[in-house]
């Protein structure tokens, strides 16, 4: 039809932004912490094809029972990240610092499953010590009340109970 205006171009879809992107400093420290643990997991997985996918799926099975949709979404993000071989640039967008805690916990559980709990504990301690040496870690410490010594004490006590050892956690924290 003569004289009709050309249709207006469609607006490009806009991806929703995460509610509150976590501070990039925390991501830097997390990546430094996660890298050696992920490397040990991948070294084991590379020697045994299919073991990584199976172990991640097993984590999802235990995570999906009785958990909220946020936890399930975080597990899907972890599964996607593992599919990218834990590449630093493939770390999924997150909404809160607690999301990094969930990913760290999943990474630790995966390491304990694939390389054994004692080696995973040593690796966790080494990775935490290395990440703690970063200049960015001082900023992260200032944001969180609990110091690394307290974190280590709680972790060792929890892991002792988790792996059927003495229940030091309940004795210390009553939880």
């Amino acid at each position: 039809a003569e004289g009709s205006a050309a249709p207006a171009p469609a607006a490009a879809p806009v991806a929703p932004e995460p509610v509150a992107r976590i501070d990039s400093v925390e991501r830097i420290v997390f990546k430094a912490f996660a890298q050696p643990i992920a490397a040990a997991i991948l070294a084991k997985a590379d020697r045994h094809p299919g073991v990584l996918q199976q172990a991640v799926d097993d984590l999802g099975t235990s995570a999906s029972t009785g958990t909220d949709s946020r936890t399930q979404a975080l597990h899907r993000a972890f599964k996607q990240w593992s599919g990218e071989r834990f590449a630093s640039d493939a770390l999924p967008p997150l909404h809160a610092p607690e999301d990094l805690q969930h990913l760290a916990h999943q990474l630790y559980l995966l390491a304990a499953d694939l390389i054994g709990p004692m080696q995973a504990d040593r690796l966790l301690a080494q990775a935490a010590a290395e990440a703690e040496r970063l200049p960015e870690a001082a900023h992260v410490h200032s944001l969180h009340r609990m110091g690394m010594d307290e974190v280590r004490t709680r972790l060792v006590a929890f892991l002792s109970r988790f792996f059927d050892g003495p229940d030091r956690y309940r004795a210390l924290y009553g939880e």
Side-chain angles (χ1 to χ4, degrees):
E2 197 171 83
S4 350
V14 176
E17 284 293 313
V19 176
R21 289 285 302 219
I22 62 169
D23 188 10
S24 62
V25 171
E26 289 175 323
R27 287 176 73 92
I28 291 168
V29 173
F30 177 80
K31 288 175 184 180
F33 164 79
Q35 191 277 325
I37 299 170
I41 290 168
L42 293 172
K44 174 74 172 202
D46 289 346
R47 289 190 308 272
H48 303 281
V51 73
L52 178 61
Q53 183 66 44
Q54 182 61 49
V56 171
D57 288 345
D58 289 348
L59 283 176
T61 302
S62 63
S64 65
T65 343
T67 57
D68 62 13
S69 61
R70 184 74 194 131
T71 302
Q72 291 173 4
L74 285 169
H75 179 73
R76 285 190 300 275
F78 181 78
K79 185 174 182 173
Q80 179 183 351
W81 186 41
S82 72
E84 299 288 332
R85 299 182 55 81
F86 303 109
S88 289
D89 60 347
L91 188 63
L94 304 168
H95 298 276
E98 294 78 28
D99 294 351
L100 286 177
Q101 292 169 351
H102 180 83
L103 292 182
H105 180 69
Q106 293 294 295
L107 197 62
Y108 171 77
L109 292 176
L110 189 60
D113 185 30
L114 295 180
I115 64 174
M118 290 178 63
Q119 189 173 351
D121 287 352
R122 281 193 297 273
L123 191 56
L124 178 76
Q126 290 168 351
E130 288 299 318
E132 198 172 292
R133 289 186 186 106
L134 293 174
E136 293 86 354
H139 176 71
V140 173
H141 288 307
S142 71
L143 298 176
H144 303 286
R145 290 182 218 163
M146 198 180 307
M148 285 308 291
D149 290 337
E150 177 67 14
V151 169
R152 278 192 205 97
T153 301
R154 281 182 177 258
L155 179 63
V156 168
F158 172 78
L159 292 174
S160 175
R161 178 179 73 174
F162 184 79
F163 290 110
D164 295 327
D167 191 355
R168 294 185 209 133
Y169 192 88
R170 192 174 311 237
L172 290 170
Y173 304 105
E175 298 171 11

